Amino acid sequence: MEEPYNTTMAKLHADLRGIIALLGDRMYSGDPIVTSIKELLQNSYDAIKMEAKNTPELQGYIEIITNKDNRTITVQDNGCGMTKEVVESAFFGIGCSHKEGLSTEERSGGFGAAKVQFLTFPEQIQLCTVKDGIMTQ
């Protein structure tokens, strides 16, 4: 005789904030400010390398400004910039990356995993980028 059983349909779900907090703590145990600056510096460096492929005479420029009184870190560069779509899908995506035109060997960063720390550590993130003359904030 067959055993009675129940069938249930369920959706897989996850506590994204919990996963991000867990990954951030496990991956980077150092100072979150240092890790954040390092990740943003790598992003700027890769953006300059991507822009230099189209503009070989480009003199790369990266400036990191810290303001202790306002508790801010500002990173400015003259790299390729990002479209609104890249900002939404790659920059603010954990584990996402957009290094268009760079081979694996040319990339400073990797898989977008280090963003866990700089996206979850600060109270606020303000981004301003320009791609092909179009500003995204």
Side-chain angles (χ1 to χ4, degrees):
M1 184 161 133
E2 286 185 40
E3 293 289 323
Y5 62 90
N6 293 322
T7 302
T8 303
M9 296 293 290
K11 290 176 88 175
L12 179 64
H13 64 279
D15 175 4
L16 186 57
R17 288 184 189 268
I19 291 171
I20 289 171
L22 179 66
L23 287 174
D25 289 343
R26 294 254 196 279
M27 290 173 60
Y28 302 99
S29 59
D31 183 343
I33 295 172
V34 172
T35 302
S36 297
I37 292 173
K38 179 183 173 202
E39 175 66 13
L40 293 168
L41 178 63
Q42 287 178 327
N43 287 350
S44 290
Y45 186 58
D46 283 345
I48 290 169
K49 287 190 279 187
M50 288 188 284
E51 182 64 23
K53 289 188 175 267
N54 298 321
T55 314
E57 68 279 1
L58 178 72
Q59 294 293 309
Y61 167 83
I62 300 172
E63 182 177 17
I64 299 173
I65 305 163
T66 59
N67 184 318
K68 207 173 202 178
D69 296 333
N70 293 332
R71 299 182 61 205
T72 60
I73 301 169
T74 303
V75 179
Q76 299 175 342
D77 64 62
N78 64 341
C80 64
M82 296 178 282
T83 64
K84 179 180 185 251
E85 293 75 24
V86 170
V87 168
E88 292 172 351
S89 66
F91 187 83
F92 284 113
I94 304 299
C96 303
S97 184
H98 182 80
K99 310 282 182 164
E100 188 175 287
L102 294 181
S103 67
T104 304
E105 295 79 31
E106 293 173 306
R107 297 174 185 195
S108 300
F111 309 106
K115 286 188 283 186
V116 169
Q117 190 125 47
F118 90 79
L119 289 177
T120 58
F121 173 70
E123 295 172 15
Q124 178 182 359
I125 297 173
Q126 183 176 354
L127 172 72
C128 178
T129 183
V130 178
K131 174 77 173 178
D132 300 327
I134 300 171
M135 182 184 299
T136 300
Q137 290 187 347

